[in-house]
Amino acid sequence: MNNHDVISTDVLIVGGGPSGLATAIELANKLEQKGVKKRIMLLEKGASIGSHILSGAVIRPKVFKDLLTTKEYDGIPFDSKVTTDVTVKLNDHSQMELPFHPPYMSNDGNYIASLAQVCKYLAGIAESKGVEIYTGFAVDDMLYNEEGKVAGVKTKDTGVDHHGEKQKNYQAGTVVEADITVLAEGTRGSLAKKVIERFNLDSGKNPQIYSLGVKEIWSVPEGNIEAGAVYHTFGYPLKDKSEFGGGFIYGLSDNRVALGLVVGLDYADPRFDTHAAMQIWKTHPYVSKFLEGGNIIEFGAKTLPEGGWNSIPKYYEDNLMIVGDSAGFLTTARLKGVHLAVRSGICAARTAMSAFEKGDTGKKTLAEYEERVNKSFIHKEMYPIRNMRAVMQDGMLLGGLKMGVQLVTGGTCLFVPKVHADADETQKLSEYQGVPFKERFSGKLEFDKKLTFDKVTDVFYSKAMHDEHQPVHLVVNHPDEFQLSNIEKYGLSEEAFCPAEVYELHIDKEGHKSLRLHAENCVHCKTCDIKSPNGGITWTTPYGGDGPEYNYM
Amino acid sequence: MALTIISLMKQVPLPSEMRMGDDGLMDRTKAKSIINVDCGYALEAGLQMKNDNPDAKLIVCSMGPPSFEESLKKALSLGYDEAYLLSDRRLGGSDTYATGLAISTMLKHLGYGKGLNEDFIIVAGRQTSDGDTAHVPSQVAENMHIPQATFIEVANLVDGKIEAKRIIEGGYQMMKLPLPCALSFTPTGISPRRATLSGAVKARNTEITVFNIDDVNLSDENIGLSGSPTIVAKVANIKSERAPIKMSEGHNESELVSSLIKNLKSGKNTIEVKEKKEKKEKKRPEGYEEVDFRNGASGILTWAEVVKGQISRPSLELLTPARELANQLEEGTKVVTLLIGKDIGHLAQELIAHGADEVVVVDDERLEEYRILPFASIFELVINDKNPEIALFAATTAGRELAPRIGVKVDGGVTADCTALEIGEHIDRKNKKIFAPILESRRPTYGESKLATILGFVCPQISTARAGTFEVPTPDANREGIITHFKPELSEENFVSEIIETVIGEGGLQNLFEADVIVSGGRGTVSDDMQLVKELATALNEQGINAEWASSRPVVDEGVAEYARQIGQTGKTVRPKVYVAIGISGAVQHIAGMKEAETIVAINSNAKESIFANADFGIVGEYQDVVPELIEKVKGGFTFGLEVK
C-alpha cells in the first residue's frame, strides 16, 4: 500500500469495550509475570474509551476478580449493589409481579453499573500496565499477508469528501502490522463480519440473530426509585410469539434511572419500531411512575447478539481471535454478556501468551482459545440453553415450557424451530397478515416530549455527531434493488427499525418514493446492517471520534 | 537555518459546555476541551506550508494550565515537531494585552524575533470561541515588531514571501508579506486534518516543554491581573426575548406553506416580559478616594474607514456612541475623527455633519488602501499629539486588527466587538477608590449568552463597536467643525507588506443592511447552488419588496456564495424586517448575526436544528420541496406580511 505509514505491534486489539480491555489487561499481566516484553496496542473508534459503550447494565462481578488484583477490583466504579429484583408481567392496563425469578434471571450479588464508566476505569489500568490505547481511530480494513492470513489492520483514510474525492487535508490511514489481531468490536463488528465471511467461520452454524435495545437514563425526584432496584418486565407492549423481549428499569445512584426495552429483531412486521415501542412502554403506569417529575439525561441504542451457543462462529484463525459480542458471547436468558466478554478476553489473552511462548501465532496454537472457552463458565452457561432463543420463537408460554425441558435435559429439546437471519424474517407489506404496528398503537404515537420522545429528540441526548465531509458510512449495496424491494415492497422498514432516524422515506408530490439518509444521526447500533431486507445496507465505520458521546450508558 | 513555522494554539471548552466562575473568569475545569476551531485552521495552514517546504520545522506554542497539554499532544499527532506550553498560576486573569506580551516573550526566549532567528512565520487562529476578541495575533505581531495579516483564508510561501488571501468586508485582498510575519486564519480555509494513528504514536513519545514565567524571564508585574490594562467588571446573562416558535403543520409541502402563511397572519407567539424593577440608585460608599486616572487625557478619537472612496457605514455608526459619550463627559469634550487615505479631504465635512467636532486628515498617495503598519503608526502619532481618553473603532476586519496593534503601541487594553458603550465609574472596594469617569464597554461573550462589561484603566481606553449595532446619526449639513491636515513622516518599514489586489463583489454587506427581507441559505441549499434561495429573493423583488439573499458559513466554505454575503461573521449584525433561514442549522455566530431581525422564519429538514429555537415561524421540510411552493405563493402576492412600497 503506497503512502501509508506502517507501524508494527505484537498484539493489536480493535475495540475498547470490556472484552478488548480484558484481553489487554490479562495479556499485560501474563507478559509481566513471565518477564516477556511485547507491545500491545488497542484502537477505539469512539472519541474516548466509553463514548460508544452501552449496556443495561447489571453485571456479575465475579469474573473481574479473576482479571484484577483485589485492590484494582475494589476500585471498580460499580454504581449500586442489587437490592431489589422483581420480574413483572405487564398487561395493557395492569401488571403482575412474579413471585419467583425465571431461570437464570436472579441478580443476587450482582451490581448495577455504567459499563462506559467501568471501561474507562479498565482502560486506566491497562495503560498503567503499558498497553498503548489510541482513541478516535476507526479501522476499516483487515490486512492479509501473501499467504492470505490475517496480518493486521488499516485505519481509515480521512480528508475524503462525500463523493470520495481526496481533499487537501487528506491523510492516508496507517497500516498496523500485528502478529496477533484481536477483534473486540462489539456487536456485529464490521471487521469481524469480513473475516467471518472470508474464512467461512460460520459454516455449519446457525445465523447470528440479534435484539435491539433502546435505552434512556433519567434524573428523577428523590423517592421515585431506590438505587440498586432492578425491575424486568415482559408483555406489554410486545405481542407474545411475534415479538420477543422485555423491559428493564434499574435504579442508579443520585436519583437516576436507567431503563430500556430490548426486542428481538426476528419479528415480521416491516413497520415495527422498537424506539416507538419503548416510548409506549414508558407510558404504562408501572413504568411511568418511576419517571414522574423527572427528565431525560441520556439516550442510546445497541444491538445484542442473542443467537446463543449455536450461533457462535469459529472465533479464531491464523493470527486472529474474536472476543466478546463480536463472537456472540452473550447469555440471552440472563440478558448479560459483560462477564462473558471479559472471560473471553481472558481466554484469548492466555492463548496469545501461549502463542508467544511457542513462537507460533497460527491457528494450531490459537485453537487453544476455543479449548479455554470450552473449559470456562462461558460454555457452562451458554451450552445448556443453546436452544433457548430458538424455542422462544414459539412465544413465552410454549417457549418457556421448552426452555424448562432444556434445563432438565441439559439443552436437548425436540421441536427446535429453525433459526433464520433476522433480515429474512421481515415480511413484505403485502405479506404481513398481522395488525401493522402503527394501527396497533394508533393514538399512542404522538410523543409529548416530556415522558415520550420522537427519535430526533432522543438522538440529541446521545450527543451523536458526524463530520459531514466524509463518505456516507451507511452503504446502500444495490440501489436499484433497494428502490424496487426495500422501498416499494417493504415500505422502507429501515425507517421504522432504525432507532435514530437515519433513514427517511420521502414521498414527493407525485407520490414518488425515495430514501433520504441522515447519517449524522447514527448511534452505531448496527440494526440496519442486521435487519435491512435483502442485506440492503452495510454499516461501515465513519471517521474515528464520530458517533455518539455516551457518558453513563 | 531552516524556516520555522510557529503555530499559536489555544485550548477552549467545547462551546456548548462553557461555564463561568463567580469571578467572571472562565471556569475551565468542568467542560470538555477542544482545540479552538480557528486555531485548528491555523495548525492546518502550517502543515500545508510544510508540504511545500519540507525542511521547515513546525512548532506549536500555547499558554494556559497544564491541561492544555492534551491539545498540544493532538497538534503533535497532526505532524508538529515540537510543543511548548507557558504555564504558570501567575498568568491567571491575563487580558489579551498581557497574553500577547507573554506569548511574544516566550517566542523570543525560544530564539525567534528581530535580531534573533528571523526565519519564521507565526500562524494563529483568527479568534477564540471563549474570548472572541481576535486581538492576540495583532498584539503578538506588534510586540515582535513584525508585519501581520489577519483574517487570512489561505497563505502560501512563494519565493521567500507569504502570499495570503485576506478576507475583508465584501470581498478579499491578495497580500504579499516578507518574513518574519504573523498570520491569523479564519475558519474558512482548508479544514483541519484528522490525526493519523502513526502521528498519534509519534506524539505519545514526544515530550512537551513546559515553561513557567521565570523560565522565559517574564516579570509577574507584566502579566496576570496586575499586568492587564483591562478587567472584566461584570457579567450578566443575556436572556432570549424570543417567544416559542410557531411550527407549520401539514402532510405535504403545500399544506406546510399554507400553514406558514396562516401563522404569519395570526402573528408571533408572545412572552410576557416582566417589567424591570426600577434600579435602585447604588449608594456611593463614603470615604473613598475618587481617582481620575485620565491624567489630562481628553476627547474621543474615532477612525473613519474609507472603502471604495466612501466612508464606510460602520464608521458613521460609530459617531453615535462617540457623540453620546462626549455628552456624558465634561462639557467641551470633543469627538475627533481620523481620516486616512488618498484624495479624501472632501469626506471630512461629511464626518462633521454626522457629529465629529474635528477631523484630522492624513492624505498620502501611499495610503490609498488600508494597510495596518502605516495606519497604526499614524494612530500612534495622533494619539500622542491629541491625548484622547477614548479611542473607538468599528469592529470591521480592519478595525479589529488595528485597534489591538495600536493598543500595544500605547500600552493600552482593547475591548472587542462592543454592543454598548457608556460612561460610568468603578468602585474598588479593596483599595477604597472610585475610578471615574470610566468607559464601560459591554460585549456579548460565551457564545452570545453573556454580556460582559470591560473596563480599561489606561488612556486611551480603546474599544471596537460591532457593525450594525448603532444607528447612523442623522447628518446636519450645517454643523461646523475643524478640519486639520496632518503630514506624518512614515518610514519605508511601514510599507513592507504589499496589497496585490482587492476584490469586492457586488451586493453583500451594504445591501444586507438595508434589505427588508433577507433570504438566507445554509448547507441544506448547496445542492442546487442556492438557486431556489436566489429565486425566492428575486420573486420578492418582483413583488416590490426590497429583498436580498445571503448565506451561512458552510455555503461560503463550499464556494457557493461570496464571503460578503455571509451572515454570522463576527462584527456584523443585520436587522431586516423578515429573515428567512433556509437549510441553516443555527450556529451561534449565525444567530448572533441575525437575531435582531423583526421576524424570523426557519425552514429546515431537521427538526432538532437550533435555528428553530431562534425563530418565530418554522417549517420542517426539505429545501427542494418547500421553497418552490413558497416561490409560487410569493408570485401570487404573498410578501411575508410586508406592505409593498
Side-chain angles (χ1 to χ4, degrees), chain A residues 356-411:
Chain A
F356 287 135
E357 284 177 325
K358 291 181 181 166
D360 170 40
T361 57
K363 61 181 154 197
K364 217 172 131 198
T365 305
L366 297 191
E368 289 176 20
Y369 174 30
E370 187 175 58
E371 289 164 25
R372 285 190 167 85
V373 167
N374 286 342
K375 280 185 205 150
S376 75
F377 67 73
I378 298 179
H379 178 267
K380 213 164 126 193
E381 206 172 293
M382 291 186 78
Y383 186 75
I385 49 167
R386 60 193 176 280
N387 289 319
M388 181 251 179
R389 186 61 183 80
V391 299
M392 281 300 170
Q393 293 176 101
D394 292 339
M396 287 285 179
L397 199 64
L398 182 57
L401 202 66
K402 289 186 184 176
M403 168 92 173
V405 172
Q406 290 179 50
L407 289 177
V408 177
T409 62

Coordinates of all heavy atoms in Angstrom, one line a residue, chain A residues 356-411:
Chain A
F356 N 3.0 -16.8 22.1 CA 4.3 -16.1 22.1 C 5.3 -17.1 22.7 O 6.5 -17.1 22.2 CB 4.2 -14.9 22.9 CG 3.5 -13.7 22.2 CD1 2.6 -13.0 22.9 CD2 3.8 -13.5 20.9 CE1 1.9 -11.9 22.3 CE2 3.1 -12.4 20.2 CZ 2.2 -11.7 20.9
E357 N 5.0 -17.9 23.7 CA 5.9 -18.8 24.2 C 6.3 -19.9 23.3 O 7.5 -20.3 23.2 CB 5.3 -19.4 25.5 CG 5.3 -18.5 26.7 CD 4.7 -19.0 27.9 OE1 3.7 -19.8 27.8 OE2 5.2 -18.7 29.0
K358 N 5.3 -20.3 22.4 CA 5.6 -21.3 21.5 C 6.2 -20.7 20.2 O 6.7 -21.5 19.3 CB 4.3 -22.1 21.1 CG 3.8 -22.9 22.2 CD 2.5 -23.7 21.8 CE 2.0 -24.5 22.9 NZ 0.6 -24.9 22.7
G359 N 6.1 -19.4 20.1 CA 6.6 -18.8 18.8 C 5.7 -19.1 17.6 O 6.2 -19.1 16.5
D360 N 4.5 -19.4 17.9 CA 3.6 -19.7 16.8 C 2.2 -19.0 17.0 O 1.6 -19.3 18.0 CB 3.4 -21.2 16.7 CG 2.3 -21.5 15.7 OD1 2.2 -20.9 14.6 OD2 1.5 -22.5 16.0
T361 N 1.9 -18.2 16.1 CA 0.6 -17.5 16.2 C -0.5 -18.1 15.2 O -1.5 -17.5 15.0 CB 0.7 -16.0 16.0 OG1 1.3 -15.7 14.7 CG2 1.6 -15.3 17.1
G362 N -0.1 -19.2 14.7 CA -1.0 -19.9 13.7 C -2.2 -20.5 14.4 O -2.3 -20.5 15.6
K363 N -3.2 -20.9 13.6 CA -4.4 -21.4 14.2 C -4.3 -22.7 15.0 O -5.1 -22.9 15.9 CB -5.5 -21.5 13.1 CG -5.3 -22.5 12.0 CD -6.5 -22.5 11.1 CE -6.1 -23.0 9.7 NZ -7.1 -22.6 8.7
K364 N -3.2 -23.4 14.8 CA -3.0 -24.6 15.6 C -2.8 -24.2 17.0 O -3.4 -24.9 17.9 CB -1.7 -25.3 15.1 CG -1.8 -26.8 15.1 CD -0.7 -27.5 14.4 CE -0.1 -28.5 15.3 NZ 1.2 -28.9 14.9
T365 N -2.1 -23.2 17.3 CA -1.9 -22.7 18.7 C -3.1 -22.0 19.1 O -3.6 -22.2 20.3 CB -0.6 -21.8 18.8 OG1 0.5 -22.5 18.3 CG2 -0.4 -21.5 20.2
L366 N -3.7 -21.1 18.3 CA -4.8 -20.3 18.7 C -6.0 -21.1 18.9 O -7.0 -20.6 19.6 CB -5.0 -19.2 17.7 CG -3.9 -18.2 17.5 CD1 -4.3 -17.0 16.7 CD2 -3.3 -17.7 18.9
A367 N -6.0 -22.4 18.5 CA -7.1 -23.3 18.8 C -7.3 -23.5 20.3 O -8.3 -23.8 20.8 CB -6.9 -24.6 18.1
E368 N -6.2 -23.2 21.0 CA -6.3 -23.3 22.5 C -7.3 -22.3 23.0 O -7.9 -22.5 24.1 CB -4.9 -22.9 23.1 CG -3.8 -23.9 22.9 CD -2.5 -23.4 23.5 OE1 -2.5 -22.5 24.3 OE2 -1.5 -24.0 23.0
Y369 N -7.6 -21.2 22.3 CA -8.6 -20.2 22.7 C -9.9 -20.9 22.9 O -10.6 -20.8 23.9 CB -8.6 -19.1 21.7 CG -9.7 -18.1 21.9 CD1 -10.2 -17.7 23.1 CD2 -10.2 -17.4 20.8 CE1 -11.2 -16.7 23.3 CE2 -11.2 -16.4 20.9 CZ -11.6 -16.1 22.1 OH -12.6 -15.1 22.3
E370 N -10.3 -21.8 21.9 CA -11.5 -22.5 21.9 C -11.5 -23.5 23.1 O -12.5 -23.6 23.8 CB -11.8 -23.2 20.6 CG -13.2 -23.8 20.6 CD -13.5 -24.5 19.2 OE1 -12.7 -25.4 18.8 OE2 -14.4 -24.0 18.6
E371 N -10.4 -24.1 23.3 CA -10.4 -25.1 24.4 C -10.6 -24.4 25.7 O -11.3 -24.8 26.6 CB -9.0 -25.8 24.5 CG -8.8 -26.8 23.3 CD -7.3 -27.1 23.2 OE1 -6.5 -27.0 24.1 OE2 -6.9 -27.5 22.0
R372 N -9.9 -23.2 25.9 CA -10.1 -22.4 27.1 C -11.6 -22.0 27.3 O -12.1 -22.1 28.4 CB -9.2 -21.2 27.1 CG -7.7 -21.5 27.3 CD -6.9 -20.3 27.5 NE -5.6 -20.6 28.0 CZ -4.6 -21.0 27.3 NH1 -4.7 -21.0 26.0 NH2 -3.4 -21.3 27.8
V373 N -12.2 -21.6 26.2 CA -13.6 -21.2 26.3 C -14.4 -22.4 26.7 O -15.3 -22.2 27.6 CB -14.1 -20.6 25.0 CG1 -15.6 -20.4 25.0 CG2 -13.4 -19.2 24.7
N374 N -14.2 -23.5 26.1 CA -15.0 -24.7 26.4 C -14.8 -25.2 27.9 O -15.7 -25.9 28.4 CB -14.7 -25.8 25.4 CG -15.3 -25.5 24.1 OD1 -16.2 -24.7 24.0 ND2 -14.8 -26.1 23.0
K375 N -13.7 -24.8 28.5 CA -13.5 -25.2 29.9 C -14.0 -24.2 30.8 O -14.0 -24.4 32.0 CB -12.0 -25.5 30.1 CG -11.5 -26.8 29.6 CD -10.1 -27.0 30.0 CE -9.4 -28.0 29.0 NZ -8.0 -27.7 28.9
S376 N -14.3 -23.0 30.3 CA -14.7 -21.9 31.2 C -16.2 -21.9 31.4 O -17.0 -22.7 30.8 CB -14.3 -20.6 30.5 OG -15.2 -20.3 29.5
F377 N -16.6 -20.9 32.2 CA -18.1 -20.8 32.5 C -18.8 -20.3 31.3 O -20.1 -20.4 31.3 CB -18.3 -19.9 33.7 CG -18.0 -18.5 33.6 CD1 -18.8 -17.7 32.8 CD2 -16.9 -17.9 34.2 CE1 -18.5 -16.3 32.7 CE2 -16.6 -16.6 34.1 CZ -17.4 -15.8 33.3
I378 N -18.1 -19.9 30.3 CA -18.8 -19.5 29.1 C -19.6 -20.7 28.5 O -20.8 -20.6 28.3 CB -17.9 -18.9 28.0 CG1 -17.1 -17.7 28.5 CG2 -18.6 -18.6 26.7 CD1 -16.1 -17.1 27.5
H379 N -18.9 -21.8 28.4 CA -19.5 -23.0 27.9 C -20.6 -23.5 28.9 O -21.7 -23.8 28.5 CB -18.4 -24.1 27.7 CG -19.0 -25.4 27.2 ND1 -19.3 -26.4 28.1 CD2 -19.3 -25.9 26.0 CE1 -19.8 -27.4 27.5 NE2 -19.8 -27.1 26.2
K380 N -20.2 -23.5 30.1 CA -21.1 -24.0 31.2 C -22.4 -23.2 31.2 O -23.5 -23.8 31.5 CB -20.4 -23.8 32.6 CG -20.7 -24.9 33.6 CD -19.7 -24.8 34.7 CE -20.4 -24.7 36.0 NZ -19.4 -24.4 37.1
E381 N -22.3 -21.9 30.9 CA -23.5 -21.1 31.0 C -24.3 -21.1 29.7 O -25.5 -21.1 29.7 CB -23.1 -19.7 31.3 CG -24.1 -18.9 32.0 CD -23.6 -17.5 32.4 OE1 -22.7 -17.5 33.3 OE2 -24.0 -16.5 31.9
M382 N -23.6 -21.1 28.6 CA -24.3 -21.0 27.3 C -24.7 -22.3 26.7 O -25.8 -22.4 26.0 CB -23.3 -20.3 26.3 CG -23.1 -18.8 26.6 SD -22.2 -18.0 25.3 CE -23.4 -17.7 24.0
Y383 N -24.0 -23.4 26.9 CA -24.3 -24.6 26.2 C -25.6 -25.2 26.6 O -26.4 -25.5 25.7 CB -23.2 -25.6 26.4 CG -23.4 -26.9 25.5 CD1 -23.2 -26.8 24.1 CD2 -23.8 -28.1 26.1 CE1 -23.4 -27.9 23.3 CE2 -24.1 -29.2 25.3 CZ -23.8 -29.1 23.9 OH -24.1 -30.2 23.1
P384 N -25.9 -25.3 27.9 CA -27.2 -26.0 28.2 C -28.4 -25.2 27.7 O -29.5 -25.8 27.5 CB -27.2 -25.9 29.8 CG -25.8 -25.7 30.2 CD -25.2 -24.9 29.1
I385 N -28.3 -24.0 27.4 CA -29.5 -23.3 26.9 C -29.3 -22.8 25.5 O -29.8 -21.8 25.0 CB -29.8 -22.0 27.8 CG1 -28.6 -21.2 28.0 CG2 -30.4 -22.4 29.1 CD1 -28.9 -19.8 28.6
R386 N -28.5 -23.7 24.8 CA -28.2 -23.3 23.4 C -29.4 -23.2 22.5 O -29.3 -22.5 21.5 CB -27.2 -24.4 22.8 CG -27.8 -25.8 22.7 CD -26.7 -26.8 22.4 NE -27.2 -28.2 22.4 CZ -27.4 -28.9 23.6 NH1 -27.2 -28.4 24.8 NH2 -27.9 -30.1 23.5
N387 N -30.5 -23.8 22.8 CA -31.7 -23.7 22.0 C -32.7 -22.7 22.5 O -33.8 -22.6 22.0 CB -32.4 -25.1 21.9 CG -31.5 -26.0 21.0 OD1 -31.0 -25.6 20.0 ND2 -31.4 -27.3 21.5
M388 N -32.3 -22.0 23.6 CA -33.3 -21.2 24.2 C -33.9 -20.1 23.3 O -35.2 -20.0 23.2 CB -32.6 -20.5 25.4 CG -33.5 -19.6 26.2 SD -33.2 -17.8 26.0 CE -34.4 -17.1 26.9
R389 N -33.1 -19.4 22.6 CA -33.6 -18.3 21.8 C -34.5 -18.9 20.6 O -35.5 -18.3 20.3 CB -32.5 -17.5 21.3 CG -32.9 -16.2 20.5 CD -33.6 -15.3 21.5 NE -34.1 -14.1 20.7 CZ -35.1 -14.1 19.9 NH1 -35.9 -15.2 19.8 NH2 -35.4 -13.0 19.2
A390 N -34.1 -20.0 20.2 CA -34.8 -20.6 19.0 C -36.2 -21.0 19.5 O -37.2 -20.7 18.8 CB -34.1 -21.9 18.5
V391 N -36.3 -21.6 20.7 CA -37.7 -22.1 21.1 C -38.5 -20.9 21.5 O -39.8 -20.9 21.5 CB -37.6 -23.1 22.2 CG1 -36.9 -24.3 21.8 CG2 -37.0 -22.5 23.5
M392 N -37.9 -19.7 21.8 CA -38.7 -18.6 22.2 C -39.5 -18.0 21.0 O -40.3 -17.2 21.2 CB -37.8 -17.5 22.8 CG -37.4 -17.8 24.3 SD -38.9 -17.9 25.3 CE -38.2 -18.5 26.8
Q393 N -39.1 -18.5 19.9 CA -39.9 -18.1 18.7 C -41.4 -18.6 18.9 O -42.3 -18.1 18.2 CB -39.3 -18.6 17.4 CG -38.0 -17.9 17.1 CD -37.3 -18.5 15.9 OE1 -37.4 -18.0 14.8 NE2 -36.7 -19.7 16.0
D394 N -41.5 -19.6 19.7 CA -42.9 -20.1 20.0 C -43.6 -19.3 21.0 O -44.8 -19.6 21.3 CB -42.8 -21.6 20.5 CG -42.2 -22.5 19.5 OD1 -42.3 -22.2 18.3 OD2 -41.7 -23.6 19.9
G395 N -43.0 -18.2 21.5 CA -43.7 -17.4 22.5 C -43.3 -17.8 23.9 O -42.6 -18.8 24.1
M396 N -43.6 -16.9 24.8 CA -43.2 -17.1 26.2 C -43.7 -18.3 26.8 O -43.0 -19.0 27.6 CB -43.6 -15.9 27.0 CG -42.8 -14.6 26.7 SD -41.1 -14.6 27.4 CE -40.5 -13.1 26.8
L397 N -45.0 -18.7 26.5 CA -45.6 -19.9 27.1 C -45.0 -21.2 26.7 O -44.3 -21.9 27.4 CB -47.1 -19.8 26.9 CG -47.9 -20.7 27.9 CD1 -47.7 -20.1 29.3 CD2 -49.4 -20.7 27.5
L398 N -45.2 -21.5 25.4 CA -44.7 -22.7 24.9 C -43.1 -22.7 24.9 O -42.5 -23.7 25.3 CB -45.2 -22.9 23.4 CG -44.8 -24.2 22.7 CD1 -45.2 -25.4 23.6 CD2 -45.3 -24.3 21.3
G399 N -42.6 -21.6 24.5 CA -41.1 -21.4 24.5 C -40.6 -21.6 25.9 O -39.6 -22.3 26.2
G400 N -41.3 -21.0 26.9 CA -40.9 -21.2 28.3 C -40.9 -22.6 28.7 O -40.0 -23.1 29.4
L401 N -41.9 -23.4 28.3 CA -42.0 -24.8 28.6 C -40.9 -25.6 28.0 O -40.2 -26.4 28.7 CB -43.4 -25.3 28.0 CG -43.9 -26.6 28.6 CD1 -44.3 -26.3 30.1 CD2 -45.1 -27.0 27.8
K402 N -40.6 -25.3 26.7 CA -39.5 -26.0 26.1 C -38.2 -25.7 26.7 O -37.3 -26.5 26.8 CB -39.4 -25.6 24.6 CG -40.6 -26.2 23.8 CD -40.4 -25.9 22.3 CE -41.5 -26.4 21.5 NZ -41.4 -26.1 20.0
M403 N -38.1 -24.4 27.2 CA -36.9 -24.0 27.9 C -36.7 -24.8 29.2 O -35.6 -25.2 29.5 CB -37.0 -22.5 28.2 CG -36.0 -21.9 29.2 SD -34.6 -21.2 28.3 CE -33.8 -20.6 29.8
G404 N -37.8 -25.0 29.9 CA -37.8 -25.8 31.1 C -37.3 -27.2 30.8 O -36.5 -27.8 31.5
V405 N -37.8 -27.7 29.7 CA -37.3 -29.1 29.3 C -35.8 -29.1 29.1 O -35.1 -30.0 29.5 CB -38.1 -29.5 28.0 CG1 -37.5 -30.8 27.4 CG2 -39.6 -29.7 28.2
Q406 N -35.3 -28.0 28.4 CA -33.9 -28.0 28.2 C -33.1 -28.0 29.5 O -32.0 -28.6 29.5 CB -33.5 -26.7 27.4 CG -34.1 -26.7 26.0 CD -33.7 -25.4 25.3 OE1 -32.5 -25.0 25.4 NE2 -34.7 -24.8 24.7
L407 N -33.6 -27.3 30.5 CA -32.8 -27.2 31.7 C -32.7 -28.5 32.4 O -31.7 -28.9 33.0 CB -33.5 -26.2 32.7 CG -33.4 -24.7 32.2 CD1 -34.1 -23.8 33.2 CD2 -31.9 -24.3 32.1
V408 N -33.7 -29.4 32.1 CA -33.7 -30.7 32.7 C -32.8 -31.6 31.9 O -32.0 -32.4 32.4 CB -35.1 -31.3 32.8 CG1 -35.1 -32.7 33.3 CG2 -36.0 -30.4 33.7
T409 N -32.9 -31.5 30.6 CA -32.2 -32.4 29.7 C -30.8 -31.9 29.4 O -30.1 -32.6 28.6 CB -32.9 -32.6 28.4 OG1 -33.0 -31.3 27.7 CG2 -34.3 -33.1 28.6
G410 N -30.4 -30.8 29.9 CA -29.1 -30.3 29.5 C -29.0 -29.7 28.1 O -28.0 -29.7 27.5
G411 N -30.2 -29.2 27.7 CA -30.1 -28.5 26.4 C -30.8 -29.2 25.3 O -31.1 -28.6 24.2

